[in-house]
Amino acid sequence: MANLRDVARRAGVDPSTASRVLRGDPTQQVRPETRERILSAARELAYRPNALARGLRTRRTDTIGLIIPSLDNLGFADVTHGIQAEAAAAGRLVMVVDAGAAAAPGGDPEGVAAAAYERLIGDGRLDGLIVAFATLDDRQVARLAAQGVPLVLVNRRTIGVHGSVVVDDARGIGLAVEHLAGLGHRRIGLVGLDADTDTARRRVKGYRTAMAAAGLPVEERWSAADEPTVEGGRRAADRLLAGPRRNRPTGLVVASLMSAVGVLAALRDAGIRVPEQLSVVAFNDHPFADHTAPPLTTVRMPNRRMGEEAVRMLVAALQGAPVGDVVVPEPPELVTRRSTAPPPG
Amino acid sequence: MANLRDVARRAGVDPSTASRVLRGDPTQQVRPETRERILSAARELAYRPNALARGLRTRRTDTIGLIIPSLDNLGFADVTHGIQAEAAAAGRLVMVVDAGAAAAPGGDPEGVAAAAYERLIGDGRLDGLIVAFATLDDRQVARLAAQGVPLVLVNRRTIGVHGSVVVDDARGIGLAVEHLAGLGHRRIGLVGLDADTDTARRRVKGYRTAMAAAGLPVEERWSAADEPTVEGGRRAADRLLAGPRRNRPTGLVVASLMSAVGVLAALRDAGIRVPEQLSVVAFNDHPFADHTAPPLTTVRMPNRRMGEEAVRMLVAALQGAPVGDVVVPEPPELVTRRSTAPPPG
DNA sequence: CTGAAAGCGCTTACAG
DNA sequence: CTGAAAGCGCTTACAG
């Protein structure tokens, strides 16, 4: 593969001149004919600058890292799409670390994420990092940030760490509560997230606020597993069903799409009809919600925007702009499908 | 951030000596006390070798690229898992190019894939490439291979390109046909893949072979869209429903999981009950098949193994081993759920 | 057992 | 307008 010296030789110039032309250096004046010679030499040799050499010299790799607990979380798919698209638009490569997939069977995704960080960041391969790990321990996030690596949090915040993009979780949960209340439900439960993170807390808070605003009593809260998974949702629903039958909620807001699918499955197994006996709304949308049994009513959060915004913020930060803590302004939207109806009786 | 010189200085040795110790160079003898000094200097300084410098020097980056049409194809999720897990186990980073996500809205994923290839490979950031792009044009694949980049194809083959891992597609489709035939179906249709690729062809061939073996007539084949998507499946089913009512198949084998979901949706919209009036089997499995309406009977292909195998082959190739064209030996498995039953009447 | 030198392929002041 | 030099941080023959 041809390198810069080859191009320069063929064009009869010094490598430094070739470099200036090929990089489009705006401060340098180069005679048009020289530039032409260099350009065609490069073309003829199919020259591609070596990213390693360039990165070593410039300390920029035009690559950003994305640390994510699992690519399998459908509620989060749009975030990834937004990140990928915006990165491509900004000419950045993205290196994805799917902690769940990379962890050994039965292994520890957080450990993997941490190790991946160590490797990627310490390595010098990355200009910066997007951390989309809502369940990652705050201290771990703080440690990453402390290393001085440009870092943007997505879908979470941590005290002390600046640079984050979130959606209005409270408003989203609120929409779900309002929807159920509007249908006439009075006993509305929340299947939340166990993790003690800002994101989980904001969803719970949104639930409380909306319930209060609707003049409804805050029902006992059944928490899903630490991870927003189908299994977590299933267990949460099983716990709910094992409880006393009276005063059981007639409507459930589930704080993650994956858990909602598990809730649906548990209810089906228990012979409880949705929505006739119990209504279910999921936080976060995905095309698959059209195809569950029954199709799930969801709150669509502006997740794609969240992903795009995170890339924009990181790229800006790499260029010296101050990072902020933004809430994506695009409002959540209720997507009404078949899993919600007026309460029984 | 500390570099090798810092470590060497602190340990009172030459950088070359520090390098030998830190890399665990087995050919070199180093006095235990020297090695200890170096090791603790590195520890104290939290030294991390710069991957760019090392890669520039050694021409190895321990990173492999993965080009994939879309991370959203649930039928393919296990392939990605296998790749990620095996790469992590082999100490390799993986750079994923999700062509669908990176393409501009309405843009051309194949173009994106090609451009990404150009950039990544020409760049020197990658040691090799896994191409999991069943619909990518054969010529494009051939061109990639011709560049001399170590490359392994996953889930596809191309004449002239050596190094591939596939599953036994024909056997998988055969299992589906046998399942339906065993239930008593005689008119079994195939919703195939449009793409003119080896993979699509092997699935069609599996269908013909299995039908012949069961003594059944080969039904007209309704092709799905080029891409294995929900929409493609929906359109294919609509086309089927628009045809003459008599001789309509009572059982359908759908050559991709995503299309099968679309088929289910179209049938539901048309008021056709599954499985009472029409049975559906999907090629490829995913936990979500438990949650569709109705839950989908599928053929589980050894996709995870396929992904793992691809990484192993690529890593071996990078160490000089010859590449082969392997079919994953693990047999496909029928996962019986609710979308199949004996034919009506 | 360890050091000094060269070089991977770039970019960027510095000259002229 | 263009060239020569230095250096990014490593590794690896080559000496001794």
Side-chain angles (χ1 to χ4, degrees):
Chain A
M1 212 159 260
N3 62 22
L4 189 62
R5 224 182 44 202
D6 299 328
V7 173
R9 188 151 38 201
R10 176 177 260 255
V13 299
D14 186 85
S16 58
T17 304
S19 173
R20 280 178 211 118
V21 168
L22 262 11
R23 296 188 34 256
D25 186 334
T27 72
Q28 296 289 338
Q29 320 273 35
V30 178
R31 223 185 332 158
E33 40 196 287
T34 310
R35 121 178 275 102
E36 251 335 304
R37 280 212 314 282
I38 293 169
L39 257 19
S40 46
R43 211 176 310 117
E44 286 157 23
L45 296 172
Y47 170 70
R48 308 241 67 215
N50 181 296
L52 267 32
R54 174 179 283 179
L56 182 58
R57 182 62 231 253
T58 61
R59 325 225 122 247
R60 297 194 49 226
T61 60
D62 288 339
T63 305
I64 64 188
L66 169 61
I67 299 192
I68 192 172
S70 163
L71 249 13
D72 293 338
N73 183 347
L74 298 188
F76 215 69
D78 271 345
V79 182
T80 314
H81 295 158
I83 291 173
Q84 298 261 11
E86 187 63 27
R92 254 70 176 189
L93 259 15
V94 12
M95 189 110 196
V96 183
V97 177
D98 176 343
D108 162 32
E110 300 209 2
V112 169
Y117 151 75
E118 280 290 348
R119 174 148 182 208
L120 287 171
I121 285 300
D123 252 8
R125 296 180 204 250
L126 257 37
D127 292 338
L129 207 56
I130 293 180
V131 177
F133 217 122
T135 61
L136 194 66
D137 192 85
D138 278 2
R139 285 165 310 179
Q140 297 213 45
V141 175
R143 201 180 321 146
L144 299 201
Q147 308 256 359
V149 177
L151 178 153
V152 169
L153 300 177
V154 152
N155 196 38
R156 72 167 298 166
R157 291 161 168 175
T158 299
I159 37 166
V161 177
H162 223 46
S164 67
V165 184
V166 298
V167 290
D168 191 343
D169 292 271
R171 180 84 202 90
I173 294 283
L175 259 189
V177 169
E178 285 163 24
H179 170 62
L180 290 174
L183 286 168
H185 291 266
R186 297 195 48 77
R187 295 200 306 280
I188 301 174
L190 172 73
V191 175
L193 300 169
D194 255 352
D196 185 28
T197 61
D198 163 69
T199 305
R201 280 188 296 268
R202 276 182 291 120
R203 292 186 193 169
V204 172
K205 194 172 160 211
Y207 165 69
R208 290 186 195 285
T209 306
M211 290 296 278
L216 297 177
V218 169
E219 299 291 322
E220 187 188 345
R221 171 166 70 91
W222 297 270
S223 55
D226 281 326
E227 303 287 333
T229 60
V230 172
E231 261 322 298
R234 192 189 274 276
R235 280 192 299 267
D238 285 344
R239 239 172 289 141
L240 160 61
L241 296 174
R245 187 174 285 248
R246 47 178 194 155
N247 285 333
R248 191 183 276 173
T250 61
L252 237 32
V253 175
V254 186
S256 99
L257 179 62
M258 297 302 276
S259 305
V261 170
V263 167
L264 247 32
L267 296 178
R268 193 164 46 236
D269 288 353
I272 294 177
R273 294 194 312 282
V274 174
E276 291 80 2
Q277 295 173 268
L278 188 54
S279 286
V280 177
V281 196
F283 183 89
N284 274 340
D285 190 48
H286 185 275
F288 243 83
D290 274 332
H291 306 286
T292 53
L296 258 172
T297 295
T298 65
V299 177
R300 203 182 72 75
M301 304 303 295
N303 282 344
R304 189 184 172 94
R305 268 293 284 287
M306 179 163 62
E308 294 170 350
E309 206 56 61
V311 172
R312 273 196 285 269
M313 186 184 286
L314 183 55
V315 168
L318 293 173
Q319 288 160 180
V323 294
D325 290 289
V326 334
V327 179
V328 175
E330 194 178 316
E333 251 173 62
L334 188 80
V335 184
T336 311
R337 293 196 184 89
R338 310 290 302 282
S339 65
T340 50
Chain B
M1 213 160 260
N3 63 23
L4 189 61
R5 223 181 45 200
D6 299 328
V7 173
R9 187 151 38 201
R10 176 178 262 257
V13 298
D14 186 87
S16 59
T17 305
S19 173
R20 281 178 211 117
V21 167
L22 262 12
R23 297 190 33 257
D25 187 334
T27 72
Q28 296 288 338
Q29 320 272 37
V30 178
R31 223 179 337 152
E33 40 196 284
T34 311
R35 121 179 276 100
E36 252 335 304
R37 280 212 315 284
I38 293 169
L39 257 19
S40 47
R43 209 176 314 115
E44 286 157 23
L45 296 172
Y47 170 69
R48 308 241 69 217
N50 181 296
L52 267 31
R54 174 179 283 179
L56 181 59
R57 181 63 230 251
T58 62
R59 324 226 122 244
R60 296 192 51 225
T61 60
D62 289 339
T63 305
I64 63 188
L66 169 62
I67 298 192
I68 193 172
S70 164
L71 249 13
D72 293 338
N73 183 347
L74 298 188
F76 215 70
D78 271 345
V79 182
T80 314
H81 295 156
I83 290 172
Q84 298 261 12
E86 186 62 28
R92 255 70 177 190
L93 258 17
V94 11
M95 188 108 197
V96 183
V97 177
D98 176 343
D108 162 32
E110 301 210 2
V112 169
Y117 151 75
E118 281 289 350
R119 173 147 183 209
L120 288 171
I121 286 300
D123 252 6
R125 296 182 203 249
L126 257 36
D127 292 336
L129 208 55
I130 293 181
V131 177
F133 216 123
T135 60
L136 193 66
D137 192 83
D138 277 2
R139 284 165 310 179
Q140 296 213 45
V141 175
R143 201 182 320 150
L144 298 200
Q147 308 255 0
V149 178
L151 177 151
V152 169
L153 300 178
V154 152
N155 196 37
R156 71 167 300 167
R157 292 162 167 173
T158 299
I159 38 166
V161 177
H162 224 46
S164 66
V165 184
V166 298
V167 290
D168 192 343
D169 292 272
R171 180 84 201 88
I173 294 283
L175 260 188
V177 170
E178 284 162 24
H179 170 61
L180 290 174
L183 286 169
H185 291 267
R186 297 195 47 77
R187 295 199 305 281
I188 301 174
L190 172 73
V191 175
L193 300 169
D194 254 352
D196 185 29
T197 62
D198 165 68
T199 306
R201 280 189 296 268
R202 278 182 290 120
R203 292 186 192 168
V204 172
K205 193 170 161 212
Y207 166 70
R208 291 185 194 286
T209 305
M211 290 296 278
L216 297 178
V218 169
E219 299 292 323
E220 188 189 344
R221 172 167 70 92
W222 297 271
S223 56
D226 282 324
E227 303 286 331
T229 59
V230 172
E231 261 321 297
R234 192 189 273 276
R235 280 192 299 266
D238 285 345
R239 239 171 288 142
L240 160 60
L241 296 174
R245 188 174 284 247
R246 48 177 194 161
N247 286 332
R248 190 183 277 175
T250 60
L252 239 31
V253 175
V254 186
S256 99
L257 179 62
M258 297 301 276
S259 305
V261 170
V263 167
L264 246 34
L267 296 177
R268 193 165 47 238
D269 288 354
I272 294 177
R273 293 196 311 283
V274 175
E276 292 79 1
Q277 295 172 268
L278 187 53
S279 285
V280 177
V281 196
F283 184 90
N284 274 340
D285 190 48
H286 185 275
F288 243 83
D290 273 333
H291 305 287
T292 54
L296 258 173
T297 295
T298 66
V299 177
R300 204 181 71 76
M301 304 302 296
N303 282 345
R304 189 183 172 95
R305 269 292 285 288
M306 179 162 64
E308 293 170 352
E309 207 55 62
V311 172
R312 274 196 284 270
M313 185 183 286
L314 183 54
V315 168
L318 293 172
Q319 287 160 178
V323 294
D325 291 289
V326 335
V327 179
V328 176
E330 195 178 317
E333 251 174 61
L334 188 79
V335 184
T336 311
R337 294 195 184 89
R338 310 289 304 283
S339 65
T340 50

